[in-house]
Amino acid sequence: MIAFPRIALLGCSLLALVATGCASREVPLATRIANALPATDVAAARETDPVGTANADAADDPAIWRNPDNPAASLIVGTDKKAGLYVYGMDGKVRGSSLTGRYNNVALQAGEHGIVVIASDRTDPVNSKLALFLLDPVTAALTPLASVPSGPGEGYGVCVAPAPSIAMVGAADAMTVYAAIKDGSVRQIRISHKQGQVEHQMGASWKLATQIEGCVIDPATGSLFVGEEDAGIWKIDVARPDAAPGLFAAADGKALVADVEGLAIAAREGASSWLVASSQGDNAYAVFDTTTGRLLGRFRINGGALDGTSETDGIELATGDFGPGFEQGVFIAQDGDNGGGTQNFKLVSWAAILAALGL
């Protein structure tokens, strides 16, 4: 396991340093926004029904499965971290659910043997697990598949990438899952699935200094990005498990305003991928080039007929056709306020974001 020191913050957060030293631990939102780099407004196109847990910080993280035969019939899985999982259609309406545990973050992987949904299970705060389900693409039902241990600590974030599999018909679907534990541990778990049978094997691990949650894999390079909420985004070369993670983007109060929360990737053919991060402290999202680390722009979900987002935890980004209004892709963000109502998720056209940022 690789451990390394975090950036020293002199006993208080960067946000506090921006204001009046450490006299106040909470900097007003208006001040955080004023101190950050500008962000362009982009309107939400649709929103999901609220999660079932009302009057609480409950909705957290989305994942999406693209229906290749009918993109408008794609499905979104979102967490209610107090109760379980909800499945939504592209119209935002609830299509299914599994209210069976305290699932914090969610990812999914489609293969020959079905669509596997992987949720970070924090039901037991001492022993983290991954809850696996099969998602029915027609009925949107979630069927429990397995519970995979992910080591000591409280399960928080999760991300997944396909792993090389045997090139033969009927071979098991293989995937590499990364479990982000609340204490800063990152654990690699190799999982295979075939006909309801699940096997798993623990792999490499890394340790960041403080609380983490969001993570994502760049499909172009295999690099893993992990958000340490108060420090920034770290880049891990998983092909070199003994190498220490490197700081990719600091929570500097400018490009990223702590907490750093959800992470998502836009892969681009023949070019470097783009990384999107939830800059929760100023209700914004930052876009970076994964190769150079250059900040490409910042945006907020605001304006239009629907309310905007605030205090976003998890995000998802998928390029490609997802039906009318989302022909170039869809960006999904948890809304921590939802106009003062029960939390939900907002859907934004990826084309609209690109246009707003001039990308």
Side-chain angles (χ1 to χ4, degrees):
M1 177 182 294
I2 298 296
F4 59 98
R6 62 166 296 168
I7 299 174
L9 297 184
L10 304 179
C12 62
S13 70
L14 282 175
L15 292 180
L17 288 173
V18 170
T20 56
C22 295
S24 173
R25 297 185 63 85
E26 181 66 26
V27 178
L29 174 60
T31 302
R32 285 177 262 152
I33 292 175
N35 288 331
L37 294 173
T40 303
D41 285 351
V42 185
R46 295 176 199 163
E47 64 180 343
T48 68
D49 291 337
V51 298
T53 303
N55 303 315
D57 180 20
D60 198 281
D61 190 48
I64 190 166
W65 168 73
R66 180 179 179 274
N67 187 325
D69 299 319
N70 182 7
S74 299
L75 296 172
I76 299 164
V77 181
T79 62
D80 178 337
K81 60 190 173 188
K82 308 291 186 182
L85 300 172
Y86 285 91
V87 183
Y88 304 95
M90 290 300 294
D91 59 359
K93 301 300 182 184
V94 173
R95 295 279 312 280
S97 64
S98 179
L99 306 181
T100 53
R102 299 176 65 222
Y103 306 135
N104 201 62
N105 278 196
V106 66
L108 58 80
Q109 184 68 41
E112 181 179 342
H113 300 287
I115 307 163
V116 178
V117 174
I118 309 108
S120 56
D121 187 351
R122 59 189 294 200
T123 305
D124 180 349
V126 178
N127 299 291
S128 68
K129 298 179 180 66
L130 300 173
L132 274 57
F133 302 83
L134 283 178
L135 173 63
D136 189 307
V138 177
T139 68
L142 288 166
T143 302
L145 180 62
S147 178
V148 174
S150 50
E154 184 175 355
Y156 243 51
V158 65
C159 48
V160 62
S165 59
I166 300 173
M168 59 181 291
V169 175
D173 293 337
M175 64 194 81
T176 303
V177 178
Y178 295 91
I181 311 303
K182 188 176 182 179
D183 69 358
S185 300
V186 182
R187 301 185 183 121
Q188 181 188 67
I189 306 169
R190 298 180 179 90
I191 296 177
S192 62
H193 159 249
K194 179 181 179 181
Q195 298 177 345
Q197 299 298 311
V198 173
E199 296 182 357
H200 71 276
Q201 180 182 12
M202 298 298 292
S205 64
W206 301 265
K207 182 67 170 70
L208 300 180
T210 61
Q211 183 169 316
I212 61 174
E213 185 170 0
C215 66
V216 70
I217 300 103
D218 182 355
T221 64
S223 296
L224 172 66
F225 294 88
V226 179
E228 186 181 4
E229 295 188 357
D230 286 337
I233 303 169
W234 298 89
K235 186 175 184 178
I236 298 174
D237 182 356
V238 298
R240 300 169 59 232
D242 293 333
L247 185 64
F248 176 79
D252 59 358
K254 298 294 184 181
L256 288 174
V257 182
D259 291 352
V260 177
E261 291 285 345
L263 303 178
I265 283 278
R268 301 188 303 143
E269 186 174 355
S272 57
S273 302
W274 291 339
L275 174 69
V276 184
S278 170
S279 177
Q280 190 185 69
D282 69 328
N283 298 336
Y285 310 90
V287 184
F288 298 92
D289 185 294
T290 57
T291 298
T292 66
R294 184 169 70 92
L295 178 68
L296 301 175
R298 288 169 25 96
F299 66 96
R300 286 190 179 88
I301 301 175
N302 190 37
L306 300 174
D307 64 299
T309 57
S310 61
E311 299 181 350
T312 291
D313 287 322
I315 60 175
E316 172 71 299
L317 171 57
T319 58
D321 184 9
F322 284 84
F326 304 104
E327 291 85 355
Q328 293 185 43
V330 59
F331 178 77
I332 308 170
Q334 181 258 6
D335 184 2
D337 179 71
N338 194 24
T342 300
Q343 295 178 343
N344 69 351
F345 301 92
K346 297 295 193 290
L347 281 66
V348 185
S349 162
W350 180 234
I353 294 171
L354 294 178
L357 298 181
L359 297 175

